[in-house]
Amino acid sequence: MRFDILTLFPELFDSYLEQGLLKRAIQNQLVEVQRWNFRDWATDKHASVDDRPYGGGPGMLIGCDTVYQCVEHVQQVVPEPGKLIMLTPQGKTLNQKLAQELSQERQLTLLCGRYEGFDERIRIGLEPMEISAGDFITNGGEVPAMLIIETVIRLIPGVLGDESSAKYDSFSESGLLEYPQYTRPQNFRGMEVPEVLLSGNHQEIARWRHEQSLQRTRERRNDLLTESESNST
């Protein structure tokens, strides 16, 4: 799967691309990540990409021309143009279901805003899918773009060492929060690993884990339990 990141700060991804699962996925050619700087399409000597909003108001807006040219260039050079995504707090909230939908694409182009955001004509003319990382504001779209990459690559076959890992994550197939997990030592400061996990009875372990997922979801995110029950009917 290929990700094309369109941003004013491509260097923010330097360290991110060199870590953990993502680095191995890139090395194994399961994932490709390309970065593009809007300023490369600017025409003035200051490489300007922003300007003051009409009607007044605080801050600056990223203008149309450089963004359109950047997007059009990427769409021409990628082997198979996929979905264009604008990271914006006004978009659809990123969740596991949406991540699963995005993982079916072969390519995602991620538009990362800054300042006060994008000129509205970028949304109108390019018609991107609008996605929000949550009900909060970040300094730009770069961190939300990383969140999309993080959630999506886990669903790409071969990226995780154990393909069943994603299946049991919180919000995954069951729609429930993940059950509690333990590792060695068996006793830590008086806290014991539940006996059922030591029994070797896989049927009982599966039953216990499902019960724990239900209990944890009921206590912490009862709204998810309601959605899960609705989806199963």
Side-chain angles (χ1 to χ4, degrees):
M1 182 168 191
R2 172 168 170 151
F3 298 89
D4 287 88
I5 305 167
L6 283 53
T7 172
L8 288 172
F9 299 99
E11 65 277 6
L12 288 178
F13 295 85
D14 288 348
S15 175
Y16 171 65
L17 295 174
E18 290 296 319
Q19 305 300 321
L21 283 174
L22 179 56
K23 179 180 180 179
R24 290 196 295 273
I26 293 172
Q27 291 174 338
N28 293 331
Q29 299 183 339
L30 297 171
V31 172
E32 179 181 359
V33 180
Q34 297 293 336
R35 291 169 288 172
W36 308 87
N37 193 330
F38 292 129
R39 293 191 190 279
D40 291 340
W41 282 267
T43 56
D44 68 331
K45 65 179 181 179
H46 300 295
S48 301
V49 298
D50 59 332
D51 208 337
R52 294 183 298 275
Y54 281 115
M60 306 285 276
L61 289 174
I62 297 177
C64 295
D65 192 44
T66 53
V67 174
Y68 269 74
Q69 290 190 58
C70 184
V71 169
E72 290 164 356
H73 175 80
V74 171
Q75 290 175 338
Q76 290 173 1
V77 300
V78 296
E80 186 177 337
K83 192 173 292 295
L84 176 63
I85 295 173
M86 176 185 287
L87 286 312
T88 167
Q90 301 177 26
K92 183 178 182 179
T93 303
L94 178 64
N95 57 25
Q96 192 66 19
K97 181 180 179 182
L98 180 54
Q100 290 168 343
E101 293 174 8
L102 296 177
S103 71
Q104 303 304 307
E105 300 286 339
R106 296 184 62 86
Q107 188 268 350
L108 298 177
T109 300
L110 306 176
L111 283 174
C112 302
R114 278 273 159 171
Y115 316 128
E116 293 300 312
F118 291 106
D119 185 303
E120 178 69 4
R121 291 165 292 185
I122 294 171
R123 184 191 67 80
I124 294 172
L126 295 177
E127 299 182 315
M129 170 184 279
E130 299 176 65
I131 295 180
S132 169
D135 295 338
F136 52 85
I137 305 299
T138 61
N139 288 329
E142 289 78 16
V143 171
M146 293 179 192
L147 287 173
I148 288 180
I149 295 172
E150 287 286 287
T151 57
V152 170
I153 65 168
R154 293 177 56 82
L155 302 171
I156 297 173
V159 170
L160 297 180
D162 183 345
E163 293 305 314
S164 66
S165 295
K167 178 179 179 181
Y168 298 109
D169 284 342
S170 295
F171 315 111
S172 57
E173 291 183 14
S174 69
L176 304 175
L177 298 182
E178 189 176 16
Y179 48 79
Q181 301 210 61
Y182 300 83
T183 187
R184 293 177 178 82
Q186 183 177 335
N187 182 304
F188 179 74
R189 298 187 179 183
M191 294 177 283
E192 292 276 356
V193 175
E195 285 293 331
V196 65
L197 299 178
L198 308 174
S199 68
N201 186 325
H202 297 296
Q203 186 175 355
E204 287 300 315
I205 290 172
R207 181 180 295 113
W208 179 86
R209 285 174 168 170
H210 180 65
E211 290 172 352
Q212 291 294 312
S213 286
L214 283 171
Q215 179 180 333
R216 181 165 285 189
T217 306
R218 188 175 295 112
E219 292 172 350
R220 304 183 184 188
R221 290 290 305 275
N222 194 54
D223 59 309
L224 293 175
L225 186 60
T226 303
E227 291 176 9
S228 177
E229 291 171 340
S230 298
N231 293 334
S232 64
T233 58

